[in-house]
Amino acid sequence: MQKMTKFGFTAPHHAAAKVGNDILEQGGTAIEAMVAAAASIAVVYPHMNGLGGDGFWLISEPGKDPIAIDACGVAAQLASLDYYAQEQQIPSRGPKAALTMAGAVAGWQKALDISANWQSSLPLKTLLQGAITQASEGIEVTQSMEDASVKTFEDLSGNVHFSQFLNKGKVLKKGDTVVLATLASTLSRLAEVGLDDFYQGEIAQQLANDLTKAGSPIRLDDFHQYQAKLVTPLNVSTSFGKIYNLPAPTQGVASLLILALFDKVKDQATNETEFVHLLIECTKQAFIARNQYVTDPSRLSTDLQQLLSDQSLDDMLTNISVKTALPWPYEAKHGDTIWMGACDNQGRMVSYIQSLYWEYGSGVVSPSTGIVWNNRGTSFSLEKDHLQALAPGLKPFHTLNPAFAELTDGRRLSYGTMGGEGQPQTQAALFSRFIYQGKSLQQSIALGRWLLGRTWGDQSHNLKIESDLATEVGQALIEKGHDMVIVDACNELMGHAGAVILDTQGNVDAATDPRSDGQAFTS
């Protein structure tokens, strides 16, 4: 008898998770389910991601090495150091913050091309219908969206086109209904004429006109020239299996370094305090390497895969002590995004991230399409010799990094989170609790977490720890030298994690984060 694989889907918003699961129930592939959910979550979680942002894919077929899609945008041809000569730094909001192309929709198409080689494709209209209905009928404001509205109100409420994300000019409240009619029309057109219209057709023309009128350096040629790319994932082998993540310009190497380093020191941890402490110390070494090397792929001074070699890891281990904390800070990266995971009935799995960078990105809204544009370009520097120096056609540093693991016992795990600087740390907490401590997938995600580094709107680089975990290990961490502050338990600051795992018998488990508005489906 042929083994039957069940399927699963997880997303940080229940409505998007349901859209993805519905496609799986129709026999769609993990990629088709993910595209449907990606469109949906752009509608129901518009503060976190959107069509005007970027995406990164990790795709795994049983028995084959995972492949990746880099769907992040490059700097516009006009976005030069000379263009920003009057600025001390790239603005974080407004038209000059909207300087990189949006790659997410191109990534959807690149992924669907792969899916079409697996089996007959579902119509694009079927995939986008859930998002279209949600946008036209209205979405219910969640607590996360209310918090984002409060946080961004001063910066963005003065922009007339941003009014679709306000309630009669005022901050959104949980339970409010937001109708995104213009975005619904844009999605309907994409469903009718194809996703390439975003870069080559009428929607490209509308977006280019709106961005130019707003004062962005992006022009129509930037749309025409953009392409998402297939890339080879980075990987590292540990005692429990092989882990994969995205190459430059993402911080995927940092996520892999944390787990590879911890795998070598895990036996030093005799209690929960030492377990958490060592993960934090591994994070510091990973972030030092990340900040030294990760940039646009064309600028790399070293092969990032070599950073994951045994010799490189052993060099970093000399700076890790189970007894004391390494003084901090180093430069911190921030951002908001969404992560989603899927497994279809053939055991094909997807780990996917989609983002605008900060909440509502640049705040620039295209009035003719309803699309919010990203501000990922603020990760560039205006210093000529900086590792992240702005130049046309280059990619900025990305915090985005979806993860995937092939375990030695045959299980395959798709996992990830939103949260900028916190992404590698949350991935490490989730993975290590599940793998090394043997906790359930849901426990591994829900238990108290920590975040080292600065967050949006925060100038401190200290260690933030949720109160439930602090009760257990907080004082002992302080005694080891950690500069620590306690935050509320189950805090959105710690990201929206999720995971989907498939075992060798075809059984699927999926979990989502209680810090989000998410849901996990298995069948």
Side-chain angles (χ1 to χ4, degrees):
M1 181 181 295
Q2 185 178 9
K3 180 183 68 179
M4 292 299 294
T5 299
K6 300 177 183 178
F7 52 84
F9 200 97
T10 183
H13 193 290
H14 56 87
K18 185 178 185 306
V19 165
N21 189 65
D22 286 348
I23 297 299
L24 293 176
E25 287 185 338
Q26 293 178 49
T29 68
I31 286 174
E32 290 175 319
M34 192 58 70
V35 168
S40 169
I41 206 159
V43 173
V44 299
Y45 245 25
H47 55 303
M48 290 289 184
N49 75 113
L51 279 68
D54 299 302
F56 290 96
W57 295 74
L58 262 178
I59 301 167
S60 169
E61 285 185 80
K64 297 183 179 180
D65 290 337
I67 58 175
I69 298 173
D70 173 338
C72 71
V74 300
Q77 289 305 304
L78 292 179
S80 64
L81 292 176
D82 287 343
Y83 184 90
Y84 288 89
Q86 303 305 312
E87 307 285 347
Q88 294 298 311
Q89 61 185 27
I90 296 172
S92 57
R93 301 289 197 187
K96 286 193 172 182
L99 66 100
T100 57
M101 179 48 51
V105 175
W108 298 358
Q109 186 58 61
K110 181 71 73 172
L112 288 173
D113 290 344
I114 295 170
S115 178
N117 291 322
W118 292 348
Q119 65 184 54
S120 297
S121 302
L122 291 173
L124 186 58
K125 287 183 180 180
T126 301
L127 302 185
L128 299 188
Q129 189 55 55
I132 293 167
T133 300
Q134 289 162 343
S136 58
E137 294 184 357
I139 61 171
E140 183 177 341
V141 174
T142 62
Q143 187 62 55
S144 174
M145 195 170 172
E146 177 185 328
D147 293 344
S149 185
V150 171
K151 186 185 287 187
T152 60
F153 185 79
E154 185 176 345
D155 283 347
L156 304 180
S157 60
N159 178 354
V160 62
H161 302 310
F162 189 76
S163 60
Q164 68 184 28
F165 298 114
L166 299 172
N167 186 350
K168 298 178 180 178
K170 296 183 179 180
V171 167
L172 294 175
K173 298 293 184 184
K174 182 179 179 180
D176 286 351
T177 298
V178 173
V179 175
L180 301 174
T182 306
L183 182 58
S185 296
T186 298
L187 288 165
S188 294
R189 176 167 176 81
L190 289 173
E192 185 70 32
V193 303
L195 298 176
D196 285 345
D197 197 65
F198 190 97
Y199 300 95
Q200 305 298 331
E202 180 180 304
I203 291 175
Q205 185 71 61
Q206 291 174 323
L207 283 166
N209 289 344
D210 288 348
L211 288 167
T212 299
K213 189 174 181 180
S216 163
I218 295 173
R219 299 293 183 267
L220 185 59
D221 279 350
D222 295 308
F223 284 85
H224 289 342
Q225 294 173 20
Y226 181 75
Q227 290 184 330
K229 296 180 179 179
L230 287 174
V231 294
T232 302
L234 298 173
N235 69 82
V236 68
S237 293
T238 71
S239 62
F240 275 85
K242 198 169 186 178
I243 313 167
Y244 297 85
N245 214 302
L246 268 289
T250 83
Q251 64 174 339
V253 68
S255 294
L256 295 178
L257 281 169
I258 296 170
L259 289 174
L261 288 167
F262 185 75
D263 193 62
K264 291 177 177 288
V265 300
K266 64 182 185 302
D267 293 339
Q268 298 178 33
T270 60
N271 54 48
E272 185 69 7
T273 296
E274 291 175 349
F275 186 88
V276 173
H277 164 77
L278 285 171
L279 279 168
I280 294 167
E281 294 306 292
C282 292
T283 298
K284 292 175 181 177
Q285 295 306 306
F287 283 2
I288 290 169
R290 176 199 69 184
N291 292 353
Q292 183 176 353
Y293 295 111
V294 177
T295 182
D296 179 272
S298 69
R299 283 176 164 165
L300 290 173
S301 62
T302 190
D303 180 357
L304 295 185
Q305 189 64 53
Q306 287 301 308
L307 290 180
L308 297 160
S309 68
D310 284 337
Q311 181 60 58
S312 174
L313 294 171
D314 288 343
D315 290 345
M316 294 181 198
L317 287 174
T318 63
N319 299 310
I320 295 174
S321 167
V322 73
K323 296 180 179 179
T324 59
L326 183 77
W328 205 247
Y330 285 80
E331 181 186 3
K333 312 293 182 181
H334 50 250
D336 282 286
T337 177
I338 60 90
W339 176 90
M340 300 186 290
C343 176
D344 65 25
N345 60 16
Q346 299 300 310
R348 298 170 298 217
M349 302 182 74
V350 170
S351 181
Y352 178 63
I353 272 189
Q354 188 165 272
S355 176
L356 289 171
Y357 197 27
W358 292 13
E359 290 98 332
Y360 294 114
S362 65
V364 173
V365 181
S366 158
S368 60
T369 66
I371 291 173
V372 186
W373 211 257
N374 72 85
N375 66 335
R376 184 61 64 173
T378 60
S379 293
F380 282 119
S381 171
L382 296 181
E383 297 175 26
K384 183 177 180 181
D385 297 323
H386 195 280
L387 184 65
Q388 312 296 348
L390 174 65
L394 294 189
K395 297 176 180 180
F397 172 86
H398 274 264
T399 52
L400 312 181
N401 65 114
F404 186 80
E406 295 172 338
L407 305 179
T408 52
D409 61 11
R411 291 178 297 169
R412 295 160 57 229
L413 175 66
S414 171
Y415 66 103
T417 182
M418 58 78 94
E421 187 85 337
Q423 285 189 35
Q425 303 181 61
T426 294
Q427 286 186 20
L430 185 166
F431 188 89
S432 59
R433 283 170 169 163
F434 182 65
I435 296 299
Y436 300 119
Q437 294 186 328
K439 299 185 186 301
S440 72
L441 211 55
Q442 187 60 53
Q443 282 180 311
S444 300
I445 292 170
L447 286 170
R449 295 205 292 261
W450 60 90
L451 187 145
L452 180 72
R454 185 168 64 90
T455 58
W456 194 89
D458 179 18
Q459 296 306 308
S460 65
H461 295 255
N462 50 22
L463 176 67
K464 298 165 182 66
I465 187 166
E466 290 181 314
S467 59
D468 50 347
L469 181 60
T471 299
E472 184 178 358
V473 305
Q475 185 57 42
L477 288 176
I478 291 173
E479 291 171 0
K480 288 182 180 293
H482 292 279
D483 175 16
M484 193 187 82
V485 295
I486 299 173
V487 299
D488 291 340
C490 203
N491 199 309
E492 189 178 37
L493 186 71
M494 300 295 162
H496 297 163
V500 180
I501 191 162
L502 172 66
D503 71 16
T504 57
Q505 301 305 307
N507 299 306
V508 179
D509 188 19
T512 192
D513 202 322
R515 298 165 183 83
S516 74
D517 302 290
Q519 190 168 353
F521 290 92
T522 57
S523 181

